[in-house]
């Protein structure tokens, strides 16, 4: 067996591109991949609850090239006050034919890439083809990845960045301008949302920031930040006005407050018109309806799935073997 590889965030950035990763995720949702229920453990801390996630998956196509992967993630929201990242982790890639470890990858970097790519994959099915104005709500680590991923599937010309701390929004906008985007930090959240074709929200806010009163016909809403049943980024009015989609039904209907709470109140049905109309499996397979008209509002909620991590790690591994 070859020597175990340790793959840094910088190496991952040098090996991945959003177009290739989005295509890999699209294919992954049509492949035979086994995904056990992820382990979700609450960790009590003096400054608030933290989370440990363990996410296994493996390809099951019966070949020597099958891979097995496990991501170990920690989410410590209070780290922001320490000047540290809130989300960290490792991804361990093994051969699914022999069980031998192949690589240990920076799990945080892999998560940033695959999360943004999953949002862009959904937007490829749900956002208007001519969508060219993006609003990013939140200026954390994931936000610039979301901007670049969405710009890889839609002709994004302008990007508005809103964050509770305006200075962070300004820093992100400056970084995007350095990448060639027309980007600005905005102080009015409602104006940023109402002026966008795609609204991407990636925050840990306990209160909804994407309010339905701000939405306008034809928009696509991308909700990424909330990952527990009590966290919401969009309010009831936003859900009521939109056609709703998720990354996976099993995950979102159990873990995402943006879906769990409207389901519990009866505002949202579990499936069909007026409910969750599709997931990435169904969109990739062509069995779920996508956007029906240019005036509809679509809403996509993701909580993440090990399928995405495995597909991203496999793509990195294949690229490593050719370098």
């Amino acid at each position: 067996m070859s020597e175990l590889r340790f793959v840094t965030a910088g190496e991952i950035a040098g090996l991945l591109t959003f177009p290739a990763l989005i295509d890999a995720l699209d294919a992954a949702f049509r492949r035979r991949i086994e995904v056990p229920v992820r382990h979700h453990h609450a960790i009590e801390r003096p400054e608030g609850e933290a989370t440990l996630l363990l996410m296994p998956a493996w390809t099951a196509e019966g070949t020597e090239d099958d891979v097995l992967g496990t991501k170990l993630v920690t989410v410590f929201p209070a780290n922001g006050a320490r000047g540290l990242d809130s989300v960290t982790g490792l991804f361990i890639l093994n051969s699914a034919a022999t069980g031998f470890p192949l690589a240990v990858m920076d799990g945080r970097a892999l998560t940033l890439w695959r999360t943004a790519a999953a949002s862009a994959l959904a937007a490829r099915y749900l956002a208007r083809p001519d969508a060219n104005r993006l609003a990013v709500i939140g200026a954390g680590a994931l936000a610039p990845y979301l901007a670049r991923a969405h710009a890889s599937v839609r002709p994004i010309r302008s990007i508005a960045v809103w964050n509770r701390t305006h200075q962070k929004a300004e820093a992100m906008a400056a970084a995007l301008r350095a990448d060639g985007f027309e980007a600005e930090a905005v102080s009015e959240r409602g104006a940023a949302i109402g002026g966008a074709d795609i609204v991407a929200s990636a925050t840990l806010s306990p209160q909804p920031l994407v309010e339905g009163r701000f939405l306008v016909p034809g928009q696509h809403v991308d909700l990424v930040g909330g990952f527990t049943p009590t966290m919401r980024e969009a309010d009831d009015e936003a859900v009521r006005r939109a056609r709703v989609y998720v990354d996976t039904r099993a995950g979102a209907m159990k873990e995402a407050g943006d879906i769990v709470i409207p389901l519990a109140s009866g505002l949202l049905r579990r499936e069909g018109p007026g409910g969750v109309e599709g997931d990435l499996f169904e969109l990739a397979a062509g069995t779920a309806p996508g956007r029906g008209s240019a005036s509809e509002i679509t809403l996509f909620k993701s909580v993440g799935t090990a399928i995405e991590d495995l597909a991203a790690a496999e793509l990195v591994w294949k690229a490593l073997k050719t370098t």
Side-chain angles (χ1 to χ4, degrees):
M1 297 296 295
S2 60
E3 183 179 353
L4 179 66
R5 298 287 297 267
F6 290 86
V7 189
T8 67
E11 289 175 299
I12 289 171
L15 294 167
L16 290 180
T17 67
F18 277 118
L21 181 54
I22 293 164
D23 285 344
L25 294 190
D26 199 15
F29 280 98
R30 294 189 296 268
R31 291 177 67 183
R32 287 191 58 207
I33 298 179
E34 296 292 333
V35 186
V37 176
R38 70 170 134 193
H39 295 245
H40 191 136
H41 301 283
I43 302 172
E44 295 298 329
R45 301 290 302 159
E47 61 272 26
E49 185 177 279
T51 306
L52 171 66
L53 300 171
L54 292 89
M55 302 170 62
W58 56 89
T59 58
E61 295 166 322
T63 74
E64 287 294 311
D65 293 327
D66 279 349
V67 289
L68 179 158
T70 306
K71 188 170 74 172
L72 296 89
V73 181
T74 58
V75 183
F76 280 60
N79 276 0
R82 301 184 176 99
L84 300 173
D85 294 324
S86 298
V87 181
T88 60
L90 294 172
F91 188 91
I92 303 169
L93 185 71
N94 301 70
S95 164
T98 66
F100 274 81
L102 303 173
V104 177
M105 302 183 187
D106 186 308
R108 177 178 177 274
L110 208 66
T111 299
L112 292 170
W113 276 90
R114 66 79 152 152
T115 303
S119 286
L121 175 60
R124 194 159 74 178
Y125 288 109
L126 300 174
R128 294 196 334 265
D130 63 347
N132 59 63
R133 299 169 302 168
L134 173 68
V136 181
I137 307 302
L142 179 59
Y145 288 81
L146 284 170
R148 294 169 185 130
H150 279 297
S152 76
V153 297
R154 287 295 183 266
I156 301 298
R157 291 203 310 264
S158 65
I159 302 174
V161 183
W162 180 90
N163 192 72
R164 287 190 190 279
T165 305
H166 190 69
Q167 185 177 3
K168 290 184 177 180
E170 289 180 330
M172 177 177 156
L176 291 173
R177 286 195 297 270
D179 282 350
F181 292 105
E182 180 184 317
E184 65 171 337
V186 297
S187 57
E188 292 295 327
R189 174 167 46 93
I193 292 171
D197 299 314
I198 298 175
V199 180
S201 181
T203 76
L204 297 178
S205 172
Q207 300 297 325
L209 296 174
V210 180
E211 299 175 65
R213 63 192 176 106
F214 297 141
L215 299 180
V216 298
Q219 288 181 309
H220 173 64
V221 178
D222 172 34
L223 305 177
V224 184
F227 63 96
T228 74
T230 60
M231 297 171 70
R232 293 191 73 174
E233 291 191 285
D235 65 3
D236 278 353
E237 181 66 7
V239 173
R240 186 191 66 78
R241 295 185 62 192
R243 297 183 68 174
V244 177
Y245 301 80
V246 296
D247 54 353
T248 67
R249 292 178 182 273
M253 290 183 174
K254 180 181 178 182
E255 299 176 11
D258 283 298
I259 303 299
V260 171
I261 296 170
L263 282 174
S265 71
L267 174 68
L268 185 67
R269 295 167 52 194
R270 297 190 68 83
E271 58 185 80
V276 178
E277 299 210 19
D279 61 17
L280 286 179
F281 292 104
E282 295 158 344
L283 288 169
T287 59
R291 170 176 288 277
S293 73
S295 63
E296 288 180 340
I297 297 171
T298 54
L299 183 151
F300 172 72
K301 172 58 192 169
S302 67
V303 293
T305 168
I307 290 174
E308 298 159 0
D309 298 301
L310 188 67
E314 184 181 32
L315 191 61
V316 169
W317 177 245
K318 288 178 177 178
L320 275 174
K321 292 196 295 183
T322 61
T323 58

